[in-house]
Amino acid sequence: MKAEKVATATDIERYRQNYIVEMDGIALYRAMAAAENDRERASIFERLARNEERHAQRWAKLIQSAGGSVPQHRPSLRVHLLGWMARRFGTRRVIPIISSLEARDEAGYKQQPEAAGLPAEERAHSRTLRAMTDGGSGQGSIAEEERWHVTAHSGGLRAAVFGVNDGLLSNFSLVMGFAGAEAKPEYILLAGVAGLLAGSFSMAAGEYVSVRAQREVYEQQIAMEKEELEMSPKEEEEELALIYQAKGLPVQEATHLARRIIENPRIAIDTLAREELGLDPAALGSPWIAAVSSFFAFVVGAFVPVAPYLFASGAIARYTSAAFSLLAMFGVGALISIFTARGPFRSGLRMLGIGILVSTITYLVGWLLGVSVAG
């Protein structure tokens, strides 16, 4: 008979963190239920909240049995922000973010022996959320959902986030390099504007090429799937039936469902792309959206360190530029945390630290070059 494992202080702290994560999940699903106008969808969020309560109780019992104290819980800033987004823009626009959080929890629990069964449940939550996103109800919901899906998952949002980051960091570094060399304010302004234009066009072109290439690969895969469907519909039907069997459907139901799907070519291609390739044909992405998003985002980010030089000069412009840029970097880092499932303060500090490090290096390089040229 195996001896029962004695929980260490590290284990108890891990249980406490898991408890807080699950309590955040409860608060988040309750906020989603409160923001949802459709009763049926709201009831799904409530059921998900009850499942998270079960998970939280498991961790609470483990904490108590190990002699620890169950921590006090207050909903995190992320929960408040996502709840506000759900009330303001609708739950469908928030579901993709929550689905990614569930995927993170699933991965985190796989390495924990005390979490037996939880990874599968978190994965089921993620699938339920994706089903809610795909299903929708109400006039115009599909069109609205697809616009969000294309923007968030095809690269528009990603391009905008990276565009702001790159614009801030690269142009602030450029401006600080010229400031370190004690260049005239008009030269610093000229360098900043040149960096803004060059960087924004370069960023847009890079995003266009990247998304265009990715889209072409996806289109090719879908075209091959379509060709296989036309040439061997029976084999494709059997493959699809096997997928549904693997998901738990009885053989007869899986076979019947696959046959019904294959009978409609348009639905068949969409389903095969999702189930066999893991692709969403409606979310291949627009290279133009990615390019335009990254262009304007870079312009916004790159303008921040340049703006003070339009109204001031000397030390005032330099210190104001540094203050605005570093504050903006912290804000952008904190904002990104909503989508990356990291703490906003930690994410903001990380971005701030990167900005300070890079700008200090370029300032010193500019100072050294300025001294050597003057000498």
Side-chain angles (χ1 to χ4, degrees):
M1 184 175 179
K2 286 186 178 181
E4 188 175 333
K5 178 190 172 184
V6 178
T8 64
T10 302
D11 291 330
I12 296 173
E13 182 58 29
R14 176 163 52 84
Y15 301 158
R16 289 167 62 88
Q17 290 299 321
N18 291 339
Y19 175 80
I20 291 171
V21 167
E22 296 296 350
M23 292 299 293
D24 260 1
I26 296 167
L28 181 54
Y29 283 128
R30 291 265 161 78
M32 294 289 284
E36 179 57 64
N37 294 323
D38 187 300
R39 289 185 180 180
E40 193 171 319
R41 288 169 60 86
S43 68
I44 295 175
F45 287 126
E46 287 289 353
R47 286 201 296 272
L48 290 172
R50 287 196 291 273
N51 286 343
E52 299 286 19
E53 282 180 345
R54 228 173 358 93
H55 298 175
Q57 288 169 6
R58 177 190 292 198
W59 297 116
K61 289 178 181 177
L62 282 170
I63 294 168
Q64 291 170 339
S65 64
S69 59
V70 177
Q72 292 282 337
H73 174 261
R74 291 182 180 178
S76 66
L77 176 61
R78 183 184 299 113
V79 171
H80 288 298
L81 286 173
L82 291 175
W84 177 84
M85 288 173 64
R87 294 190 299 273
R88 179 67 179 80
F89 303 109
T91 60
R92 288 185 181 86
R93 288 170 166 77
V94 181
I95 284 176
I97 303 173
I98 302 177
S99 181
S100 70
L101 296 178
E102 291 287 4
R104 178 207 62 180
D105 293 343
E106 176 194 345
Y109 283 151
K110 283 182 178 178
Q111 308 302 322
Q112 302 185 47
E114 305 91 343
L118 294 188
E121 292 192 31
E122 298 294 351
R123 185 162 59 251
H125 290 181
S126 186
R127 287 175 178 171
T128 301
L129 292 168
R130 286 199 299 271
M132 292 176 74
T133 305
D134 293 338
S137 62
Q139 189 174 2
S141 64
I142 294 176
E144 291 172 3
E145 176 185 313
E146 290 306 325
R147 280 197 294 273
W148 163 257
H149 209 51
V150 167
T151 301
H153 292 283
S154 69
L157 180 59
R158 169 185 166 278
V161 168
F162 280 99
V164 171
N165 268 329
D166 287 355
L168 262 172
L169 193 58
S170 64
N171 228 31
F172 179 48
S173 300
L174 179 65
V175 167
M176 291 303 291
F178 272 77
E182 297 185 358
K184 294 181 179 180
E186 54 267 29
Y187 292 164
I188 297 177
L189 181 59
L190 178 61
V193 172
L196 182 153
L197 292 174
S200 58
F201 281 110
S202 175
M203 188 84 178
E207 283 294 332
Y208 178 87
V209 171
S210 173
V211 176
R212 178 73 260 178
Q214 185 182 49
R215 184 184 177 94
E216 287 173 354
V217 171
Y218 288 170
E219 287 174 342
Q220 183 183 18
Q221 290 179 319
I222 292 173
M224 290 173 63
E225 197 65 42
K226 183 177 181 181
E227 185 178 348
E228 290 177 4
L229 178 62
E230 292 172 350
M231 294 178 62
S232 309
K234 191 64 179 175
E235 286 76 2
E236 291 297 312
E237 180 183 322
E238 291 175 0
E239 287 181 16
L240 194 57
L242 284 174
I243 290 173
Y244 288 134
Q245 282 178 241
K247 291 185 174 184
L249 280 180
V251 176
Q252 290 184 343
E253 289 185 26
T255 303
H256 177 69
L257 179 58
R259 185 180 301 117
R260 290 290 303 275
I261 289 172
I262 295 297
E263 286 174 357
N264 187 319
R266 185 180 64 82
I267 295 176
I269 290 296
D270 184 270
T271 305
L272 289 168
R274 293 173 187 269
E275 300 292 354
E276 292 191 12
L277 303 177
L279 302 176
D280 183 357
L284 294 183
S286 167
W288 286 110
I289 289 178
V292 171
S293 298
S294 61
F295 178 88
F296 284 107
F298 192 99
V299 168
V300 171
F303 182 72
V304 173
V306 175
Y309 286 92
L310 294 171
F311 310 103
S313 61
I316 294 177
R318 183 166 62 252
Y319 292 140
T320 305
S321 175
F324 283 180
S325 298
L326 295 175
L327 185 62
M329 286 178 191
F330 179 86
V332 170
L335 183 62
I336 292 173
S337 70
I338 298 175
F339 306 99
T340 60
R342 291 181 178 272
F345 188 72
R346 181 181 177 184
S347 183
L349 282 180
R350 182 178 61 180
M351 188 64 192
L352 181 62
I354 293 171
I356 292 173
L357 175 63
V358 174
S359 61
T360 300
I361 292 172
T362 56
Y363 182 88
L364 291 174
V365 170
W367 179 77
L368 289 172
L369 291 175
V371 169
S372 64
V373 170

